[in-house]
Amino acid sequence: MASTSPESAAAATETDGSTQIRRLELADHERGFVALLSQLSSCPDLTPSEFAARFAELAAHGDDHVILVAEDPSAQERRILATGCLFVERKFLRGGGKVGHVEDVVVDAAARGKGLGLHIVRRLVEIAKEAGCYKVILDCTPELRAYYAKCGFVEKGVQMAVYF
Amino acid sequence: MATSTMFNFNPGVDAPSDGLCDAQYREKTPQAEGNFCSHPRNRTQMASTSPEYAAAATETDGSTQIRRLELADHERGFVALLSQLSSCPDLTPSEFAARFAELAAHGDDHVILVAEDPSAQERRILATGCLFVERKFLRGGGKVGHVEDVVVDAAARGKGLGLHIVRRLVEIAKEAGCYKVILDCTPELRAYYAKCGMQDLLNE
């Protein structure tokens, strides 16, 4: 899993013996991916074709949009245990620099406390660094500050939001 | 003209939603209101549903025009303006053009607005702001608008240019079907962005 491995972008897998981390694939729709997201925030069901459509849109961004998932490859019924997303924003700032945004990190309630979320976030940060981003940012509740501090994040400012 | 009635912003008359003169923005002072709403609309079509909007939208308040970034803005101080926000080393024309093309390829998923005084002798970008649209699986495949890189030239501050741009970006995000718009800022800017209808939901 050397962070400079050419394979890491294509078909990265990491195992700690019981958990494998890899990129989201179409079939993950059948492995509880949407139900997992609903543990984070409102996530109505997506039909297979709706999921496929969104999947294709994001896949078109290539390495600018990476969704990682964790699963137990030895489980009888395959199920996504955790996920996290990174998208790369290109700017004019910093001489045309790039910023990594981490989003939608969630670990299945039954699989928490094992470091899966941290594992995914660290991998996403590594991918952003490899992509040449000058920073990675994410938004979270104040209670999660200590959690993300474990991945090297420091608090910087507040998020403002408007919902429609 | 056929459009003059459409964009006649008499108080009390329901105005079409264009992100500027909606009722929610009525907290503006009379002077500011004049800046934003008294412009001669017969010059531009401003309906947010206008098909031209995405292509060549211009808004004027008489002295400031807001439009999308164009390649030539590299020669109008765009990079120097950004450096007032954060570290922004010079970009050669071809570096600028390369980044411009990459972002333009995202179409309406990446919008950079700029403000300039069309009557100025030497054209210069006075303010800018950016919106990019992130597509999610959440919310049934929803979209989130992210506002970034908002900066107003030091000599042009205090005239509402930044708010004007941010409000327009929020409107664009709404039109694009985003379920929310978010941005990050220092705590000191909370009151500023509150004027655009944004809230610090975690520290209310």
Side-chain angles (χ1 to χ4, degrees), chain B residues 150-196:
Chain B
V150 177
V151 57
V152 180
D153 184 73
R157 288 177 193 163
K159 301 196 288 184
L161 281 185
L163 293 178
H164 199 155
I165 282 182
V166 174
R167 285 175 181 143
R168 190 67 204 114
L169 292 173
V170 168
E171 189 62 41
I172 291 170
K174 189 175 177 183
E175 290 162 12
C178 294
Y179 67 86
K180 71 175 179 181
V181 173
I182 58 178
L183 60 82
D184 295 312
C185 66
T186 57
E188 297 76 37
L189 288 170
R190 266 187 288 225
Y192 181 80
Y193 286 107
K195 294 185 204 172
C196 304

Side-chain angles (χ1 to χ4, degrees), chain A residues 82-96:
Chain A
T83 184
C85 167
L86 169 82
F87 67 83
V88 176
E89 173 211 356
R90 287 151 195 277
K91 291 188 177 295
F92 284 102
L93 278 174
R94 294 275 192 129

Side-chain angles (χ1 to χ4, degrees), chain A residues 42 44 51 54 57 87 90-97 103-104 139-140 157-162 164, chain B residues 87 89 96 99 102 132 135-141 148-149 178-185 198-199 202:
Chain A
S42 163
F51 185 86
R54 179 56 99 232
E57 278 173 328
F87 67 83
R90 287 151 195 277
K91 291 188 177 295
F92 284 102
L93 278 174
R94 294 275 192 129
E103 299 273 341
D104 304 342
D139 294 306
C140 68
V158 298
Q159 182 200 75
M160 301 294 284
V162 59
F164 301 126
Chain B
S87 163
F96 185 85
R99 178 57 98 233
E102 279 173 326
F132 67 83
R135 289 151 194 277
K136 292 190 177 293
F137 285 102
L138 279 174
R139 294 271 191 134
E148 300 272 342
D149 302 345
C178 294
Y179 67 86
K180 71 175 179 181
V181 173
I182 58 178
L183 60 82
D184 295 312
C185 66
M198 307 190 80
Q199 295 175 274
L202 298 178

Side-chain angles (χ1 to χ4, degrees), chain B residues 1 5 11 39 43 67-68 70 89 91 93-94 96 110 113-114 118 136 151 168 174 194 201:
Chain B
M1 296 179 63
T5 305
H39 47 284
R43 288 217 292 274
R67 56 167 172 79
R68 294 214 185 182
E70 38 189 63
L91 289 166
S94 71
F96 185 85
H110 200 111
L113 295 181
V114 297
K136 292 190 177 293
V151 57
R168 190 67 204 114
K174 189 175 177 183
L201 295 172

